[in-house]
Amino acid sequence: MDKISRFNVVHRWEKRALLIAINFVGSLAIFFFGYDQGMMGSVNVSIDYAVNVMKLGHVEPGTKQVITDRTLLQGGIIIPLLFLFAIIWLMPESPRWLVKVGREDEARYILGRLRGEDASGLAEAEFQDIRNVAELEKNAGQLNSYFHMFWDVMPKALGGGSAGALHIGRRVQLVVWLQILQEWIGIAGVTIYANDIFQQAGYSGQKARWLAGVNDITYMFSTLFAIFTLDRLGRRKSLYLGSIVMGISMFLSGGFSRAAVRYPDKAAAYGAAAASFTFIFSMGFGATWLTIPWLYPAEIFPLQVRAKGNAWGVVGWSVGNGWTTLLLPIMFQRLHEKVFYIFGAVNALTLPIVWAFYPESNQRTLEEMDLLFATPSWWNWEAERTYEMLKAQNPELVQAAKGGSIVHNDDDGEMGMRMRTGGGALSLVPHGNGEGKRGNGVEEIE
């Protein structure tokens, strides 16, 4: 493949080796620059490293907090940044993006390398799936603006519903609120106010700062658990597990912090218990809720709006982060350790929310996600029921290349994917012509 640089790793490795290389680079980016700057978020608050060794700033008088003056060289961040900048050019492009921009030969080649020569038929079928759905979504391009994506959730009488059975607006709401919940389950408070939290648990200023730094490092390494658990457990179960662990940790941390203040003679024991559950909370978050709200948008949006869907996720994170940052100083000042109970309650609240509204995206292609969101209902069980119905009635709908389906324009210009299966044709996107039988947002054209 002459169009791809000869230095690209896609020429050297295939299948599992290629997947490991791609994921390794992605993991490095998270390790160094992930949430709160990953490893950099810990070293930059160390007086010995940031001030005495790297000479990046000074210590604020009276608070002993590190104030960074030389932000460009912060914590030696430029070194891993340049390394990542260099090796990213050796990685292959996304096949879906290549199809979207018309570079189909490159997309087919990369898919072949990912699947291996012994699975060339599978790679070709996957390529045709991507190509068909990309064409389907491209013809709705005028409806893919940020405004239309957001407003799509509104009733048709108010100009919503422009995405038809793709229900883009619902997906936008899901990713925005998942990010907001991510902030309110307690990580913003634990990360920003770790020093105050450990002081409330009875530790002195120097020891509290030391514990805050160790907590950040523990938090960083806990993200490695996600590599082994996310695909095994799935997104929903991982969120459940994280909410349960973090919720219990917040309630107990708050209780032990209160006990340390109320019973000074046992403050050391209660303080140690409160600190331990703060560590457990950080580990639970790093292994579950840290990753999934950022991963979920990339897995549920159609190719044509995938980048914008991820952007909506960032909007949710910004809203949640800004909201908590403004309120947390007041909350800690007025409520002290009782703030932990609020975080614990939010963790408990996430359990029914995820169960009721968030479909499982693990091991499902973008094409299958379109089927999962075909129903107009917000309930997850309706989404799963509709998905199973569509696959049972039209097994070729996902493996379009094998079934001989076509992507075409209807007479009125609306796009649809029709599967020729004897009696009629099933359309994922509602059509303007023909009489049809509707059920769960899916139209069967007679």
Side-chain angles (χ1 to χ4, degrees), residues 153-176:
V153 74
M154 302 299 291
K156 286 190 176 182
L158 297 178
S162 58
L166 291 174
H167 296 115
I168 300 299
R170 183 161 83 240
R171 307 189 207 199
V172 169
Q173 294 297 319
L174 289 178
V175 301
V176 167

Side-chain angles (χ1 to χ4, degrees), residues 141-158:
Q142 70 275 13
L143 304 177
N144 289 340
S145 67
Y146 285 106
F147 174 78
H148 279 98
M149 291 176 66
F150 180 80
W151 199 253
D152 178 66
V153 74
M154 302 299 291
K156 286 190 176 182
L158 297 178

Side-chain angles (χ1 to χ4, degrees), residues 168-358:
I168 300 299
R170 183 161 83 240
R171 307 189 207 199
V172 169
Q173 294 297 319
L174 289 178
V175 301
V176 167
W177 283 102
L178 190 62
Q179 288 281 11
I180 292 175
L181 288 173
Q182 183 198 52
E183 295 302 311
W184 274 103
I185 58 180
I187 190 59
V190 170
T191 302
I192 299 172
Y193 290 93
N195 184 42
D196 296 334
I197 289 171
F198 289 119
Q199 286 186 6
Q200 288 179 8
Y203 292 96
S204 63
Q206 182 65 26
K207 186 172 288 186
R209 285 190 293 275
W210 181 83
L211 285 172
V214 175
N215 182 61
D216 283 344
I217 295 173
T218 304
Y219 168 31
M220 175 189 69
F221 281 110
S222 69
T223 60
L224 299 176
F225 285 103
I227 298 175
F228 306 101
T229 60
L230 279 185
D231 286 340
R232 291 179 181 271
L233 296 178
R235 313 304 180 238
R236 284 161 56 87
K237 289 183 179 179
S238 294
L239 292 175
Y240 294 153
L241 178 62
S243 294
I244 292 171
V245 171
M246 292 185 295
I248 294 174
S249 298
M250 284 289 94
F251 281 120
L252 292 177
S253 184
F256 283 122
S257 295
R258 180 60 182 170
V261 174
R262 190 169 183 178
Y263 303 103
D265 56 323
K266 298 182 179 179
Y270 287 132
S276 298
F277 282 105
T278 302
F279 274 75
I280 293 173
F281 170 88
S282 298
M283 292 179 64
F285 179 85
T288 57
W289 274 82
L290 168 65
T291 307
I292 296 173
W294 297 102
L295 179 64
Y296 202 69
E299 293 182 327
I300 70 170
F301 280 101
L303 175 66
Q304 194 69 13
V305 293
R306 195 180 188 189
K308 292 179 180 178
N310 279 287
W312 275 114
V314 176
V315 169
W317 173 84
S318 300
V319 172
N321 201 15
W323 191 5
T324 53
T325 302
L326 289 173
L327 290 179
L328 282 176
I330 302 173
M331 293 171 65
F332 274 105
Q333 183 181 7
R334 301 287 181 86
L335 301 176
H336 304 290
E337 76 284 342
K338 295 182 181 66
V339 176
F340 295 135
Y341 304 146
I342 297 176
F343 292 151
V346 174
N347 275 283
L349 182 63
T350 62
L351 292 172
I353 291 177
V354 171
W355 172 76
F357 299 111
Y358 286 84

